Amino acid sequence: MYDLILVLDYRRIDELQYSVDFYRKNLKCTSISVITAKSAKQEVEVLGLRFIDEDKLMDGLTLQAVRDYIASLGVQNNRAAWYFQQFLKMGYSRICSGEYYVTWDTDSIPLRKITYFTQDGKICFHMRNEYHKPYFDTMARLVEPPLKKISSKSFISENMIFKKSVMLELLEKIESNGHLSGQYFWQKILAAVDRNELTASGFSEFELYGTYFATHYPDLCKEDRLKMERYGYSLYGRRLSCQELEKLDLDVIAFEKWDKDNPMGRYEKIKYKLKKLFWR
C-alpha cells in the first residue's frame, strides 16, 4: 500500500474533479493528498482529499524561492513552476509516514487497475520510449559516482512509485555535494542544470530517481509498460465522459493542456496512429 500524492496547479482544479473517482477506483492507495496553493484548500477538501500547502511542505521551498534562485543564476525564470512541482514530489519523502508513495499527473487518468509491485515484491517502473540528453547531463553532476543512463527506455511517465528511504538517501547525497552551490537539494539541482537548459527542460525527477534506483538497487525493481494514450484532446477533441472512458482499451489516457492548445492536424494524426501501430 502507498500514499497517493497529486501535485496540482491551483488553476487546474477541474482536472482533479474530473479524475479523482478513477484514482480511488484503480489505485490501491491508503490516502490521497493534494499539494497545491492554499487558495485551493476548500475545493480540495470538498472532494474528501487531504490538502497540503505547497509553500509549507519544506522549509525554504516555495515557488517564489525557486523563481528567485533561478534568477540569481543569471537566466529567465519562466520555467520555475515546472521545476517547482518536481521538487515538491521529491520533498514529500521528508514528511511521508509510510514506506512508499506514488505521484500522478492530474491530467492523466488510470482506466484500469495499476500495479506497482510484482508478486515477489519488486517495484514496477512504468517505462516509455523517449530520450532527452540534458536530463542525463544534469544527473551526472548531482551525485558521486556520476549516474549514467542504465536503461534503453525512459523512466519518465505520468506516474511514479517512490520508496521513501531511497529518495531520502538520494536527497542527502545531492545536498552533500560540495561542488554545487546552494544549501537545499533543489538549489543544487538547479545549479547543476546547464544555463541554456534552465529556460527549457533541464531536469527530470523521474529520470533521476529511476536511474538512481535501478543503478543501486537493481534486484529490487522491474521495468513494466502501460498501454497509454497521451494525445487525448487531439484524438477525441474533448474530455470523454466516464462511460466513454470505460470503453477504451487503455490503461491510462491523458488530456494535457499543451495538447488542447495545440492539437494535431489531420495529417499529423494519421502519421501518429501509424507510428503507434508499428512502434511498440
Side-chain angles (χ1 to χ4, degrees):
M1 300 291 280
Y2 50 82
D3 296 338
L4 177 62
I5 307 303
L6 308 171
V7 178
L8 178 69
D9 182 332
Y10 73 94
R11 295 167 296 184
R12 297 164 67 177
I13 193 73
D14 61 307
E15 291 179 352
L16 184 60
Q17 295 164 337
Y18 179 65
S19 58
V20 66
D21 287 342
F22 286 91
Y23 298 140
R24 288 182 168 127
K25 178 181 178 182
N26 293 322
L27 302 178
K28 196 176 181 180
C29 53
T30 55
S31 64
I32 304 178
S33 299
V34 181
I35 304 175
T36 189
K38 61 183 179 181
S39 59
K41 182 177 187 293
Q42 183 176 354
E43 291 169 289
V44 168
E45 292 181 340
V46 163
L47 295 172
L49 309 176
R50 177 192 179 202
F51 166 81
I52 300 176
D53 188 334
E54 64 184 20
D55 285 338
K56 295 182 178 179
L57 179 74
M58 278 182 50
D59 288 342
L61 177 60
T62 66
L63 177 55
Q64 189 58 51
V66 174
R67 286 178 177 143
D68 292 344
Y69 195 76
I70 293 176
S72 75
L73 296 173
V75 297
Q76 292 184 345
N77 58 13
N78 57 300
R79 291 285 276 169
W82 185 75
Y83 289 109
F84 180 51
Q85 56 89 19
Q86 296 188 61
F87 301 148
L88 291 171
K89 295 173 189 175
M90 299 173 75
Y92 181 79
S93 62
R94 290 183 164 166
I95 69 166
C96 180
S97 59
E99 186 177 4
Y100 298 97
Y101 64 99
V102 167
T103 66
W104 264 82
D105 294 343
T106 55
D107 53 17
S108 299
I109 304 169
L111 303 178
R112 303 288 180 267
K113 302 289 184 184
I114 305 298
T115 301
Y116 287 102
F117 299 96
T118 63
Q119 290 186 343
D120 58 353
K122 292 182 179 181
I123 287 175
C124 293
F125 288 120
H126 302 135
M127 311 297 286
R128 293 276 181 78
N129 290 323
E130 59 180 90
Y131 173 71
H132 186 56
K133 185 177 180 295
Y135 294 157
F136 295 92
D137 294 339
T138 297
M139 75 170 67
R141 304 181 185 110
L142 291 175
V143 298
E144 293 290 342
L147 292 170
K148 299 179 181 179
K149 184 170 176 60
I150 194 171
S151 173
S152 61
K153 300 182 180 64
S154 171
F155 290 95
I156 296 175
S157 178
E158 69 289 328
N159 70 95
M160 171 70 83
I161 182 166
F162 296 96
K163 186 175 175 65
K164 179 177 70 171
S165 60
V166 177
M167 178 58 85
L168 291 174
E169 176 184 291
L170 175 58
L171 297 187
E172 183 178 348
K173 287 186 178 182
I174 294 172
E175 290 185 339
S176 65
N177 187 339
H179 299 292
L180 296 171
S181 62
Q183 175 184 356
Y184 303 112
F185 74 85
W186 59 270
Q187 293 172 325
K188 289 182 178 290
I189 289 172
L190 290 172
V193 178
D194 185 280
R195 297 297 182 269
N196 293 325
E197 295 296 334
L198 267 176
T199 55
S201 302
F203 170 72
S204 165
E205 81 283 32
F206 288 175
E207 206 75 89
L208 170 64
Y209 176 78
T211 300
Y212 182 85
F213 197 108
T215 298
H216 293 279
Y217 303 97
D219 296 334
L220 300 182
C221 61
K222 177 179 181 280
E223 294 186 1
D224 197 5
R225 290 187 75 96
L226 295 176
K227 194 171 184 180
M228 197 272 184
E229 179 52 68
R230 191 174 185 184
Y231 295 90
Y233 280 119
S234 282
L235 296 179
Y236 300 104
R238 58 182 172 83
R239 287 181 183 167
L240 301 179
S241 68
C242 291
Q243 293 76 16
E244 290 172 318
L245 290 172
E246 294 282 5
K247 295 177 181 178
L248 297 177
D249 182 24
L250 295 169
D251 295 314
V252 182
I253 189 169
F255 294 92
E256 302 186 50
K257 184 178 184 301
W258 60 264
D259 183 39
K260 182 179 181 180
D261 295 341
N262 299 283
M264 289 187 284
R266 182 180 178 184
Y267 173 74
E268 290 175 303
K269 279 192 275 189
I270 294 173
K271 184 178 178 181
Y272 171 71
K273 289 179 179 179
L274 288 173
K275 183 179 179 181
K276 286 201 73 173
L277 182 63
F278 293 105
W279 185 29
R280 298 292 182 181

